[in-house]
């Protein structure tokens, strides 16, 4: 039986990107929630909930990027030139966010400046990730395996709204995480904030979905004209069920369920994205097989990935297990 290496690599990269969105999404979301909580102690507790794990969360961004480079090098010659500016700004945002993590606790007079860096870095990184997603969905101009569009093709109302949608998604994830990890007044405030955030998130999902169907004929054909409707039809129903479940769990004061159901919404949105572009890796025309490196290169990289990926997964699982439980004011952290 012949192994379809491009499909295996597409699954590995897809898994890595989703785990990154799931994990780094909620700690970016904490930065987006900072403006709603100005008390120094509240902000310190919020940071302490992710202080032990945020570095490990970004491992999966490296996995996705390295996997693309090794398995689908053509993607680098098409996706990157089409999105140079938002990708560079994303990295700048991650740098500011990381620096703020390390330095705000050591600062005295300049702590507010580092708080601002944390807020702006988190927001910039999330916004740019959404813009890249939007530019990917609307399609990238490719000829002979090369990008032939302009430097600002990524800039469109659709891609900008996708950026706003990712901001809302990450903020909702962060709120769910803080309901799980905090207690007392801060947790009550997070529960109050969760309801409007979920409503705005549902609205953003609805607008993006309708915009995709109406404004992007290639994606609409993939949903309704290529036999994929059966796969896609349960997605909106399950999203509505998750939103209802979040409202119910907040009302009943469940601690883990709002976060779990928000993760489920992210998974459903991600599955909708995969249905929209499969088997292309760079829409509208570059498939995973056309973008692949040689089978020997993919096989060589796969051997290393099979060894390293379980170690990464076990390491991340262990850090969440070790640092499970509530984070309270006065606990050791980034001071």
């Amino acid at each position: 039986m012949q192994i379809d290496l491009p499909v295996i690599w597409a699954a590995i990269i897809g898994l890595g990107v989703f785990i990154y969105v799931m994990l780094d999404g909620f700690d970016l979301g904490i930065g987006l929630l900072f403006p709603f909580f100005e008390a120094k102690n509240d902000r310190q507790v919020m940071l302490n909930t992710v202080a032990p794990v945020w570095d490990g969360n970004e491992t999966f961004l490296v996995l996705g990027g390295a996997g693309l480079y090794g398995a689908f090098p053509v993607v680098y010659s098409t996706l990157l030139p089409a999105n140079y500016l938002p990708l560079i700004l994303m990295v700048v945002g991650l740098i500011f966010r990381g620096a703020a993590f390390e330095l705000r606790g050591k600062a005295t007079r300049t702590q507010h400046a580092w708080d601002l860096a944390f807020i702006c870095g988190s927001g910039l990184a999330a916004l740019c990730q959404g813009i890249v997603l939007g530019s990917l969905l609307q399609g990238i101009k490719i000829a002979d395996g090369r990008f032939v569009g302009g430097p600002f093709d990524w800039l469109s109302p659709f891609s900008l709204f996708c950026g706003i949608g990712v901001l809302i998604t990450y903020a909702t994830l962060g709120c769910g995480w803080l309901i799980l990890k905090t207690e007392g007044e801060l947790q009550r405030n997070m529960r109050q904030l969760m309801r409007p955030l979920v409503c705005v998130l549902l609205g953003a999902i609805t607008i993006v979905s309708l915009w995709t169907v109406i404004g992007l004929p290639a994606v609409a054909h993939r949903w309704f004209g290529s036999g994929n409707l059966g796969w896609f039809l349960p997605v909106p129903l399950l999203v509505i069920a998750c939103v209802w479940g979040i409202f119910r769990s907040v009302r009943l004061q469940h601690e883990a369920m709002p976060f779990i159901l928000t993760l489920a919404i992210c998974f459903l949105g991600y599955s909708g994205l995969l249905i929209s572009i499969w088997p292309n890796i760079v829409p509208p025309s570059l498939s995973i097989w056309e973008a692949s490196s040689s089978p020997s290169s993919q096989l060589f990289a796969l051997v290393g990935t099979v060894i390293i990926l379980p170690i990464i997964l076990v390491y991340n699982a262990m850090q969440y297990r070790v640092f499970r439980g509530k984070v309270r004011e006065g606990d050791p952290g980034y001071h």
Side-chain angles (χ1 to χ4, degrees):
M1 182 179 65
Q2 186 176 2
I3 299 175
D4 197 337
L5 289 172
V7 173
I8 293 173
W9 268 109
I12 291 172
I13 293 169
L15 175 66
V17 171
F18 175 69
I19 294 176
Y20 169 76
V21 169
M22 180 176 66
L23 298 183
D24 209 37
F26 68 75
D27 65 49
L28 285 169
I30 288 174
L32 301 174
L33 295 175
F34 252 43
F36 297 96
F37 300 91
E38 296 185 359
K40 180 179 178 180
N41 291 338
D42 285 346
R43 289 185 170 185
Q44 190 63 58
V45 171
M46 291 164 71
L47 275 180
N48 287 349
T49 64
V50 291
V53 298
W54 74 273
D55 269 327
N57 292 346
E58 294 187 345
T59 305
F60 294 95
L61 181 63
V62 178
L63 172 66
L68 275 179
Y69 183 77
F72 302 107
V74 178
V75 174
Y76 268 73
S77 65
T78 53
L79 183 61
L80 267 66
N83 292 277
Y84 271 142
L85 186 56
L87 287 172
I88 290 171
L89 290 176
M90 181 192 76
V91 173
V92 170
L94 292 174
I95 290 171
F96 270 92
R97 193 272 300 257
F101 251 118
E102 302 292 342
L103 297 176
R104 72 174 298 279
K106 300 175 178 63
T108 52
R109 292 176 298 177
T110 59
Q111 189 172 81
H112 287 295
W114 287 115
D115 282 349
L116 183 61
F118 184 63
I119 294 167
C120 294
S122 301
L124 183 61
L127 179 67
C128 290
Q129 288 175 16
I131 288 173
V132 173
L133 170 63
S135 75
L136 185 69
L137 269 175
Q138 69 187 12
I140 293 173
K141 297 176 183 176
I142 300 172
D144 299 323
R146 299 176 60 187
F147 173 63
V148 294
F152 293 99
D153 284 1
W154 54 270
L155 186 60
S156 70
F158 177 74
S159 64
L160 290 174
F161 190 83
C162 285
I164 294 171
V166 170
L167 285 171
I168 297 166
T169 302
Y170 286 177
T172 310
L173 274 173
C175 190
W177 171 257
L178 290 169
I179 290 173
L180 173 65
K181 296 292 289 184
T182 62
E183 59 184 14
E185 185 65 23
L186 182 57
Q187 186 188 59
R188 286 191 289 273
N189 290 335
M190 290 298 168
R191 285 200 176 104
Q192 292 177 0
L193 187 58
M194 191 70 179
R195 294 187 182 95
L197 277 175
V198 170
C199 290
V200 175
L201 176 60
L202 180 60
I205 292 172
T206 302
I207 292 172
V208 169
S209 300
L210 292 175
W211 200 333
T212 301
V213 172
I214 297 171
L216 304 175
V219 176
H221 173 74
R222 195 169 294 276
W223 285 6
F224 302 110
S226 60
N228 287 326
L229 184 60
W231 292 97
F232 177 74
L233 195 58
V235 172
L237 300 178
L238 291 172
V239 168
I240 293 172
C242 288
V243 170
W244 175 84
I246 290 172
F247 271 89
R248 184 174 183 274
S249 61
V250 168
R251 178 171 55 84
L252 297 176
Q253 298 188 0
H254 292 164
E255 295 191 332
M257 196 55 64
F259 182 60
I260 293 171
L261 290 175
T262 307
L263 290 176
I265 292 174
C266 292
F267 173 76
L268 292 168
Y270 192 68
S271 66
L273 169 65
L274 295 181
I275 294 170
S276 300
I277 67 174
W278 180 263
N280 293 328
I281 192 168
V282 180
S285 58
L286 187 64
S287 72
I288 59 173
W289 297 280
E290 293 169 326
S292 294
S293 59
S294 67
S296 59
S297 297
Q298 289 192 339
L299 185 60
F300 176 79
L302 183 61
V303 172
T305 303
V306 168
I307 298 171
I308 296 299
L309 184 56
I311 297 173
I312 295 173
L313 292 173
V314 170
Y315 163 77
N316 276 270
M318 286 182 64
Q319 69 175 355
Y320 281 95
R321 177 174 174 78
V322 169
F323 294 102
R324 66 189 183 277
K326 295 291 185 179
V327 176
R328 301 173 178 85
E329 185 177 335
D331 284 352
Y334 273 57
H335 293 285

